[in-house]
Amino acid sequence: MSITGDQALVKKINMSLALETIRVHAPVSRAQVAELTGLNKATVSNLVSDLLEQQLVTEIGPGQSSGGRKPLLLLFNRHAGHSIGIHLDVHSFSIALCDLSGQILFEKLNLRLLHSDPVQVTEQLSSVIQELIDLAPASPYGVIGIGVGAPGMVDEQGCVLFAPNLGWEQIPLRQWLQDRFTHIPVLVDNEANAGAIGEYEYGAGKHVQHLIYVSAGAGIGTGIMTRGEIFRGAMGYSGELGHMTIDVHGRKCSCGNRGCWELYASEKAILDPQKSLPFHTLYEAIQAAERDDADALHFLYQLGEYLGIGIANLVNGFNPDLIIIGNQFAHLERWIKAAVLRSVKQRALQSHQQNLNIVYAPLQQRSTLLGAANQAIRSFVGRAKVTV
Protein backbone atom coordinates (compact mmCIF):
# COMPACT_ATOMS: atom_id res chain seq x y z
CA MET A 1 0.00 0.00 0.00
CA SER A 2 1.43 3.38 -0.99
CA ILE A 3 1.13 6.37 1.35
CA THR A 4 0.94 9.89 0.00
CA GLY A 5 0.72 13.23 1.75
CA ASP A 6 0.53 16.90 1.03
CA GLN A 7 3.06 19.53 2.08
CA ALA A 8 1.42 20.03 5.48
CA LEU A 9 1.62 16.31 6.32
CA VAL A 10 5.27 16.09 5.30
CA LYS A 11 6.09 19.13 7.42
CA LYS A 12 4.15 17.73 10.39
CA ILE A 13 6.10 14.47 10.21
CA ASN A 14 9.42 16.32 9.91
CA MET A 15 8.56 18.69 12.76
CA SER A 16 7.60 15.83 15.06
CA LEU A 17 10.84 14.04 14.13
CA ALA A 18 12.93 17.15 14.83
CA LEU A 19 11.16 17.84 18.13
CA GLU A 20 11.54 14.24 19.35
CA THR A 21 15.22 14.33 18.40
CA ILE A 22 15.74 17.51 20.40
CA ARG A 23 13.79 16.04 23.34
CA VAL A 24 15.90 12.88 23.44
CA HIS A 25 19.34 14.27 22.57
CA ALA A 26 19.32 17.79 24.06
CA PRO A 27 21.40 19.86 24.33
CA VAL A 28 21.88 19.58 20.59
CA SER A 29 22.73 21.92 17.71
CA ARG A 30 20.81 22.40 14.48
CA ALA A 31 23.58 20.64 12.58
CA GLN A 32 23.36 17.67 14.94
CA VAL A 33 19.56 17.53 14.49
CA ALA A 34 20.10 17.42 10.73
CA GLU A 35 22.65 14.63 11.11
CA LEU A 36 20.48 12.59 13.48
CA THR A 37 17.28 12.93 11.43
CA GLY A 38 18.70 12.84 7.92
CA LEU A 39 16.93 16.11 7.09
CA ASN A 40 18.86 18.82 5.27
CA LYS A 41 20.16 21.80 7.25
CA ALA A 42 17.83 24.33 5.62
CA THR A 43 14.77 22.22 6.50
CA VAL A 44 15.96 21.82 10.09
CA SER A 45 16.60 25.56 10.39
CA ASN A 46 13.04 26.33 9.27
CA LEU A 47 11.56 23.71 11.60
CA VAL A 48 13.55 24.97 14.57
CA SER A 49 12.38 28.52 13.88
CA ASP A 50 8.77 27.31 14.09
CA LEU A 51 9.47 25.30 17.26
CA LEU A 52 11.08 28.32 18.90
CA GLU A 53 8.08 30.45 17.97
CA GLN A 54 5.73 27.84 19.42
CA GLN A 55 7.78 27.80 22.66
CA LEU A 56 8.41 24.07 22.32
CA VAL A 57 12.17 24.57 22.05
CA THR A 58 14.55 27.06 23.68
CA GLU A 59 18.07 28.16 22.78
CA ILE A 60 20.88 28.15 25.29
CA GLY A 61 24.50 29.23 25.02
CA PRO A 62 26.97 28.21 22.33
CA GLY A 63 28.36 24.71 22.15
CA GLN A 64 31.71 23.36 21.02
CA SER A 65 32.88 24.53 17.61
CA SER A 66 34.20 22.09 15.01
CA GLY A 67 35.60 25.04 13.09
CA GLY A 68 33.98 28.40 12.50
CA ARG A 69 31.26 29.98 14.59
CA LYS A 70 30.10 28.14 17.71
CA PRO A 71 26.61 26.64 17.27
CA LEU A 72 23.70 27.61 19.50
CA LEU A 73 22.42 24.60 21.42
CA LEU A 74 18.75 23.68 21.59
CA LEU A 75 16.71 22.34 24.50
CA PHE A 76 13.25 20.84 24.57
CA ASN A 77 11.16 23.29 26.62
CA ARG A 78 10.13 21.12 29.55
CA HIS A 79 8.06 23.99 30.95
CA ALA A 80 5.84 24.26 27.84
CA GLY A 81 3.20 22.05 29.44
CA HIS A 82 2.52 19.31 31.94
CA SER A 83 1.57 15.64 31.84
CA ILE A 84 -0.35 13.48 34.29
CA GLY A 85 0.65 9.86 34.82
CA ILE A 86 -1.38 7.26 36.71
CA HIS A 87 -0.55 3.75 37.91
CA LEU A 88 -3.81 1.92 38.53
CA ASP A 89 -3.19 -1.18 40.62
CA VAL A 90 -5.55 -3.77 42.06
CA HIS A 91 -6.13 -2.17 45.47
CA SER A 92 -4.64 1.31 45.02
CA PHE A 93 -3.44 3.89 42.55
CA SER A 94 -0.64 6.45 42.31
CA ILE A 95 -0.72 9.68 40.31
CA ALA A 96 1.76 12.43 39.45
CA LEU A 97 1.88 15.76 37.66
CA CYS A 98 5.10 16.06 35.63
CA ASP A 99 6.76 18.62 33.44
CA LEU A 100 7.60 17.57 29.88
CA SER A 101 10.97 16.13 30.94
CA GLY A 102 9.29 13.71 33.35
CA GLN A 103 10.22 15.72 36.44
CA ILE A 104 7.56 15.13 39.09
CA LEU A 105 6.03 18.34 40.45
CA PHE A 106 3.24 16.85 42.58
CA GLU A 107 2.39 13.27 43.40
CA LYS A 108 -0.01 11.17 45.43
CA LEU A 109 1.21 7.61 46.02
CA ASN A 110 -0.64 4.45 47.02
CA LEU A 111 -4.10 5.96 47.37
CA ARG A 112 -6.51 3.21 48.37
CA LEU A 113 -9.23 2.40 45.85
CA LEU A 114 -12.54 2.92 47.63
CA HIS A 115 -14.38 0.52 45.30
CA SER A 116 -13.59 -2.11 42.70
CA ASP A 117 -16.59 -1.13 40.56
CA PRO A 118 -15.12 0.43 37.37
CA VAL A 119 -17.55 3.33 37.26
CA GLN A 120 -16.73 4.31 40.83
CA VAL A 121 -13.00 3.80 40.20
CA THR A 122 -13.29 6.18 37.23
CA GLU A 123 -15.01 8.75 39.44
CA GLN A 124 -12.28 8.47 42.08
CA LEU A 125 -9.53 8.80 39.47
CA SER A 126 -11.28 11.79 37.91
CA SER A 127 -11.51 13.60 41.24
CA VAL A 128 -7.77 13.29 41.89
CA ILE A 129 -6.88 14.11 38.27
CA GLN A 130 -8.81 17.36 38.63
CA GLU A 131 -6.90 18.16 41.83
CA LEU A 132 -3.60 17.89 39.95
CA ILE A 133 -4.87 19.87 36.97
CA ASP A 134 -5.74 22.66 39.39
CA LEU A 135 -2.20 22.52 40.82
CA ALA A 136 -0.46 22.73 37.44
CA PRO A 137 1.64 25.91 37.04
CA ALA A 138 0.80 28.25 34.17
CA SER A 139 2.39 27.13 30.89
CA PRO A 140 1.89 27.74 27.15
CA TYR A 141 0.10 24.43 26.55
CA GLY A 142 -1.33 23.55 29.98
CA VAL A 143 -1.90 19.88 30.76
CA ILE A 144 -1.12 18.16 27.46
CA GLY A 145 -2.21 14.63 28.29
CA ILE A 146 -3.28 12.03 30.85
CA GLY A 147 -1.62 8.61 30.73
CA VAL A 148 -2.92 5.60 32.64
CA GLY A 149 -1.23 2.25 33.21
CA ALA A 150 -3.92 -0.32 34.04
CA PRO A 151 -3.57 -4.00 34.99
CA GLY A 152 -4.75 -6.54 32.43
CA MET A 153 -5.26 -6.64 28.68
CA VAL A 154 -5.77 -3.20 27.11
CA ASP A 155 -6.61 -2.67 23.43
CA GLU A 156 -5.58 0.19 21.13
CA GLN A 157 -8.70 2.16 22.09
CA GLY A 158 -7.76 2.08 25.78
CA CYS A 159 -10.48 -0.44 26.65
CA VAL A 160 -9.57 -2.81 29.49
CA LEU A 161 -10.61 -6.08 27.86
CA PHE A 162 -9.79 -8.39 30.74
CA ALA A 163 -8.32 -7.59 34.15
CA PRO A 164 -8.91 -10.73 36.24
CA ASN A 165 -7.40 -9.30 39.42
CA LEU A 166 -9.85 -6.38 39.25
CA GLY A 167 -12.75 -8.48 38.01
CA TRP A 168 -13.11 -6.20 34.95
CA GLU A 169 -14.09 -7.13 31.41
CA GLN A 170 -14.66 -4.82 28.44
CA ILE A 171 -14.32 -1.57 30.42
CA PRO A 172 -13.84 1.49 28.13
CA LEU A 173 -11.66 3.28 30.67
CA ARG A 174 -10.06 5.70 28.22
CA GLN A 175 -13.41 6.80 26.84
CA TRP A 176 -14.91 7.26 30.30
CA LEU A 177 -12.01 9.47 31.34
CA GLN A 178 -12.03 11.30 28.01
CA ASP A 179 -15.71 12.13 28.52
CA ARG A 180 -14.75 13.89 31.76
CA PHE A 181 -11.65 15.69 30.42
CA THR A 182 -12.77 16.54 26.92
CA HIS A 183 -9.93 18.95 26.11
CA ILE A 184 -7.07 16.77 27.36
CA PRO A 185 -6.05 13.65 25.40
CA VAL A 186 -6.25 10.46 27.47
CA LEU A 187 -4.14 7.34 26.85
CA VAL A 188 -4.57 3.97 28.58
CA ASP A 189 -2.06 1.13 28.31
CA ASN A 190 -1.15 -2.00 30.23
CA GLU A 191 0.62 -1.03 33.46
CA ALA A 192 3.65 -3.27 32.85
CA ASN A 193 4.16 -1.75 29.39
CA ALA A 194 4.04 1.70 30.96
CA GLY A 195 6.48 0.53 33.64
CA ALA A 196 8.93 -0.67 31.00
CA ILE A 197 8.72 2.73 29.26
CA GLY A 198 9.24 4.54 32.56
CA GLU A 199 12.41 2.60 33.32
CA TYR A 200 13.64 2.93 29.72
CA GLU A 201 13.18 6.71 29.70
CA TYR A 202 14.10 7.63 33.27
CA GLY A 203 15.44 4.61 35.16
CA ALA A 204 17.59 1.51 34.81
CA GLY A 205 16.75 0.89 31.16
CA LYS A 206 18.43 3.92 29.56
CA HIS A 207 20.36 2.91 26.40
CA VAL A 208 19.38 -0.76 26.87
CA GLN A 209 18.33 -2.46 23.62
CA HIS A 210 16.41 -5.43 25.00
CA LEU A 211 14.76 -5.30 28.42
CA ILE A 212 11.86 -6.89 30.27
CA TYR A 213 10.10 -5.12 33.10
CA VAL A 214 8.49 -7.53 35.57
CA SER A 215 5.71 -5.79 37.48
CA ALA A 216 5.16 -7.92 40.56
CA GLY A 217 2.76 -7.16 43.38
CA ALA A 218 -0.88 -8.24 43.63
CA GLY A 219 -0.20 -10.15 40.39
CA ILE A 220 2.50 -10.26 37.71
CA GLY A 221 2.69 -8.54 34.36
CA THR A 222 5.60 -7.99 32.00
CA GLY A 223 6.54 -5.20 29.62
CA ILE A 224 8.91 -6.32 26.86
CA MET A 225 10.97 -3.65 25.08
CA THR A 226 13.23 -4.08 22.08
CA ARG A 227 15.17 -1.17 20.59
CA GLY A 228 13.11 1.38 22.46
CA GLU A 229 9.69 0.04 21.47
CA ILE A 230 7.18 -2.12 23.34
CA PHE A 231 6.72 -5.57 21.84
CA ARG A 232 2.95 -5.89 21.62
CA GLY A 233 2.34 -9.05 19.61
CA ALA A 234 -0.13 -9.67 16.79
CA MET A 235 -3.21 -8.31 18.61
CA GLY A 236 -1.42 -5.97 21.01
CA TYR A 237 -1.90 -8.13 24.10
CA SER A 238 1.60 -9.48 24.75
CA GLY A 239 3.10 -9.42 28.22
CA GLU A 240 0.52 -11.43 30.19
CA LEU A 241 3.26 -13.77 31.33
CA GLY A 242 2.01 -13.84 34.89
CA HIS A 243 -0.42 -16.39 33.47
CA MET A 244 2.14 -18.77 32.00
CA THR A 245 1.82 -22.21 33.58
CA ILE A 246 4.61 -23.31 35.91
CA ASP A 247 2.65 -26.08 37.67
CA VAL A 248 0.49 -28.18 35.36
CA HIS A 249 -1.63 -29.46 38.28
CA GLY A 250 -1.49 -26.24 40.26
CA ARG A 251 -4.07 -23.99 41.90
CA LYS A 252 -6.94 -22.46 39.97
CA CYS A 253 -6.25 -18.90 38.84
CA SER A 254 -8.73 -16.04 38.39
CA CYS A 255 -7.89 -16.09 34.66
CA GLY A 256 -9.40 -19.59 34.37
CA ASN A 257 -6.07 -21.41 34.03
CA ARG A 258 -4.25 -23.53 36.60
CA GLY A 259 -0.74 -23.22 37.99
CA CYS A 260 -0.08 -19.66 36.77
CA TRP A 261 3.24 -18.06 37.67
CA GLU A 262 1.61 -15.23 39.63
CA LEU A 263 -0.07 -17.70 42.01
CA TYR A 264 3.38 -18.61 43.36
CA ALA A 265 5.45 -15.45 42.79
CA SER A 266 3.16 -12.56 43.76
CA GLU A 267 1.08 -11.54 46.77
CA LYS A 268 -1.34 -14.30 45.75
CA ALA A 269 1.09 -16.85 47.20
CA ILE A 270 -0.06 -15.74 50.65
CA LEU A 271 -3.54 -17.05 49.81
CA ASP A 272 -2.33 -20.61 49.18
CA PRO A 273 -4.72 -22.75 51.27
CA GLN A 274 -1.93 -25.28 51.90
CA LYS A 275 0.00 -22.64 53.82
CA SER A 276 -0.90 -21.36 57.25
CA LEU A 277 0.79 -17.98 57.40
CA PRO A 278 0.60 -15.45 60.24
CA PHE A 279 0.17 -12.58 57.77
CA HIS A 280 -2.40 -11.85 55.07
CA THR A 281 -0.82 -9.22 52.83
CA LEU A 282 2.58 -8.56 51.31
CA TYR A 283 2.86 -5.43 53.45
CA GLU A 284 2.37 -7.50 56.61
CA ALA A 285 4.95 -10.03 55.38
CA ILE A 286 7.49 -7.24 54.85
CA GLN A 287 6.82 -5.83 58.31
CA ALA A 288 7.37 -9.28 59.83
CA ALA A 289 10.57 -9.79 57.79
CA GLU A 290 11.93 -6.51 59.11
CA ARG A 291 11.57 -8.03 62.60
CA ASP A 292 13.49 -11.11 61.34
CA ASP A 293 10.37 -13.26 61.70
CA ALA A 294 11.33 -16.77 60.54
CA ASP A 295 8.01 -17.47 58.77
CA ALA A 296 8.19 -14.22 56.84
CA LEU A 297 11.83 -14.70 55.86
CA HIS A 298 11.11 -18.23 54.62
CA PHE A 299 8.02 -17.09 52.72
CA LEU A 300 9.88 -14.25 50.97
CA TYR A 301 12.75 -16.58 50.04
CA GLN A 302 10.26 -18.99 48.46
CA LEU A 303 8.63 -16.05 46.67
CA GLY A 304 12.05 -15.21 45.24
CA GLU A 305 12.60 -18.80 44.13
CA TYR A 306 9.34 -18.86 42.18
CA LEU A 307 9.93 -15.38 40.78
CA GLY A 308 13.31 -16.63 39.55
CA ILE A 309 11.72 -19.66 37.88
CA GLY A 310 9.49 -17.42 35.77
CA ILE A 311 12.36 -15.02 35.03
CA ALA A 312 14.48 -17.97 33.83
CA ASN A 313 11.70 -18.78 31.36
CA LEU A 314 11.72 -15.16 30.16
CA VAL A 315 15.50 -15.26 29.78
CA ASN A 316 15.36 -18.50 27.79
CA GLY A 317 12.53 -17.21 25.59
CA PHE A 318 13.57 -13.60 24.93
CA ASN A 319 17.33 -13.40 25.66
CA PRO A 320 17.15 -9.86 27.13
CA ASP A 321 20.05 -7.67 28.23
CA LEU A 322 18.20 -6.57 31.35
CA ILE A 323 15.44 -7.78 33.65
CA ILE A 324 13.94 -5.07 35.88
CA ILE A 325 11.90 -6.24 38.85
CA GLY A 326 9.44 -3.51 39.72
CA ASN A 327 6.17 -2.45 41.35
CA GLN A 328 5.87 -3.65 44.97
CA PHE A 329 8.69 -6.18 44.54
CA ALA A 330 11.16 -3.36 43.89
CA HIS A 331 11.21 -3.05 47.71
CA LEU A 332 11.98 -6.75 48.33
CA GLU A 333 15.54 -6.94 47.03
CA ARG A 334 17.17 -7.61 50.41
CA TRP A 335 14.96 -10.66 51.01
CA ILE A 336 14.52 -12.21 47.56
CA LYS A 337 17.66 -11.34 45.59
CA ALA A 338 19.65 -14.44 46.48
CA ALA A 339 16.74 -16.78 45.75
CA VAL A 340 15.96 -15.10 42.41
CA LEU A 341 19.58 -15.32 41.26
CA ARG A 342 19.83 -18.94 42.40
CA SER A 343 16.76 -19.97 40.42
CA VAL A 344 17.85 -18.10 37.30
CA LYS A 345 21.38 -19.52 37.47
CA GLN A 346 20.01 -23.07 37.81
CA ARG A 347 17.31 -22.85 35.15
CA ALA A 348 18.30 -20.34 32.47
CA LEU A 349 20.57 -21.38 29.61
CA GLN A 350 24.17 -20.47 30.32
CA SER A 351 24.56 -18.79 26.93
CA HIS A 352 21.65 -16.47 27.77
CA GLN A 353 23.12 -15.49 31.14
CA GLN A 354 26.45 -14.16 29.80
CA ASN A 355 25.46 -10.49 29.44
CA LEU A 356 22.30 -10.58 31.56
CA ASN A 357 21.68 -8.11 34.37
CA ILE A 358 18.82 -8.41 36.88
CA VAL A 359 18.06 -5.23 38.82
CA TYR A 360 15.35 -3.86 41.08
CA ALA A 361 13.57 -0.83 39.66
CA PRO A 362 15.37 2.33 40.81
CA LEU A 363 12.13 4.23 40.21
CA GLN A 364 10.44 1.72 42.55
CA GLN A 365 6.66 2.21 42.36
CA ARG A 366 6.98 5.29 40.14
CA SER A 367 8.01 3.32 37.03
CA THR A 368 4.49 2.94 35.67
CA LEU A 369 3.16 6.41 36.45
CA LEU A 370 6.26 7.99 34.86
CA GLY A 371 5.93 5.71 31.84
CA ALA A 372 2.26 6.64 31.48
CA ALA A 373 3.15 10.34 31.74
CA ASN A 374 5.85 9.83 29.11
CA GLN A 375 3.39 8.20 26.71
CA ALA A 376 1.26 11.35 26.96
CA ILE A 377 4.37 13.47 26.34
CA ARG A 378 5.38 11.42 23.29
CA SER A 379 1.87 11.77 21.92
CA PHE A 380 2.01 15.54 22.43
CA VAL A 381 5.36 15.72 20.62
CA GLY A 382 3.80 13.79 17.75
CA ARG A 383 1.01 16.36 17.55
CA ALA A 384 3.42 19.31 17.15
CA LYS A 385 1.64 22.23 15.49
CA VAL A 386 2.43 22.99 11.86
CA THR A 387 2.20 26.25 9.98
CA VAL A 388 2.68 26.08 6.21
Side-chain angles (χ1 to χ4, degrees), residues 28 38 61 66 77 101 119-120 127 144 157 186 193 206 217 255 266 281 288 338 353 355 365 369 381:
V28 63
S66 57
N77 183 9
S101 71
V119 174
Q120 296 187 70
S127 176
I144 54 84
Q157 287 71 47
V186 178
N193 287 342
K206 289 182 179 179
C255 75
S266 76
T281 66
Q353 295 185 48
N355 297 311
Q365 286 181 264
L369 66 84
V381 168

Side-chain angles (χ1 to χ4, degrees), residues 10 12 49 60 83 92 125-126 150 162 187 190 193-194 196 246 248 269 278 282 315 317 324 330 369-370:
V10 172
K12 178 176 177 61
S49 294
I60 58 173
S83 175
S92 64
L125 290 178
S126 298
F162 183 47
L187 299 169
N190 170 269
N193 287 342
I246 65 168
V248 68
L282 188 60
V315 170
I324 303 171
L369 66 84
L370 282 171

Side-chain angles (χ1 to χ4, degrees), residues 269-327:
I270 296 173
L271 304 177
D272 187 342
Q274 294 184 358
K275 297 178 180 178
S276 180
L277 297 170
F279 38 81
H280 303 92
T281 66
L282 188 60
Y283 177 71
E284 290 176 3
I286 293 170
Q287 285 185 311
E290 287 177 338
R291 300 191 300 268
D292 291 328
D293 178 85
D295 288 330
L297 294 173
H298 179 67
F299 168 75
L300 291 176
Y301 189 87
Q302 282 191 321
L303 211 60
E305 283 187 316
Y306 277 110
L307 188 66
I309 290 170
I311 287 173
N313 290 337
L314 301 185
V315 170
N316 289 339
F318 293 97
N319 187 28
D321 301 307
L322 178 66
I323 298 281
I324 303 171
I325 298 170
N327 202 347

Side-chain angles (χ1 to χ4, degrees), residues 4 28 48 50 95-96 113 162 171 175 198 229 240 242 265 284 305 319 338 344:
T4 61
V28 63
V48 169
D50 285 348
I95 183 169
L113 286 174
F162 183 47
I171 303 302
Q175 189 57 58
E229 298 294 332
E240 292 297 328
E284 290 176 3
E305 283 187 316
N319 187 28
V344 172

Side-chain angles (χ1 to χ4, degrees), residues 85-96 98 104 106-112 147-150 191-192 194-199 202-204 213-219 267 282-283 286 324-333 335 359-373:
I86 300 169
H87 178 187
L88 176 61
D89 213 335
V90 176
H91 305 296
S92 64
F93 70 98
S94 296
I95 183 169
C98 306
I104 294 175
F106 302 101
E107 66 181 6
K108 293 174 178 284
L109 301 179
N110 301 316
L111 298 175
R112 187 172 66 88
V148 183
E191 60 90 15
I197 291 169
E199 288 292 335
Y202 310 115
Y213 175 79
V214 179
S215 175
E267 187 174 41
L282 188 60
Y283 177 71
I286 293 170
I324 303 171
I325 298 170
N327 202 347
Q328 290 174 277
F329 276 39
H331 302 284
L332 300 186
E333 179 176 4
W335 297 294
V359 302
Y360 294 76
L363 299 177
Q364 298 187 341
Q365 286 181 264
R366 294 179 176 86
S367 306
T368 289
L369 66 84
L370 282 171

Side-chain angles (χ1 to χ4, degrees), residues 15-54:
M15 183 171 287
S16 296
L17 178 60
L19 183 57
E20 177 67 3
T21 301
I22 295 167
R23 184 185 77 83
V24 173
H25 296 282
V28 63
S29 68
R30 289 168 175 79
Q32 288 172 316
V33 173
E35 183 179 348
L36 289 165
T37 60
L39 299 171
N40 67 55
K41 291 182 180 179
T43 298
V44 169
S45 181
N46 290 332
L47 293 172
V48 169
S49 294
D50 285 348
L51 292 171
L52 286 167
E53 185 178 342
Q54 295 172 24

Side-chain angles (χ1 to χ4, degrees), residues 66-89:
S66 57
R69 191 171 63 180
K70 291 183 178 181
L72 290 174
L73 297 180
L74 303 168
L75 288 179
F76 179 59
N77 183 9
R78 64 190 183 96
H79 302 297
H82 300 91
S83 175
I84 290 175
I86 300 169
H87 178 187
L88 176 61
D89 213 335

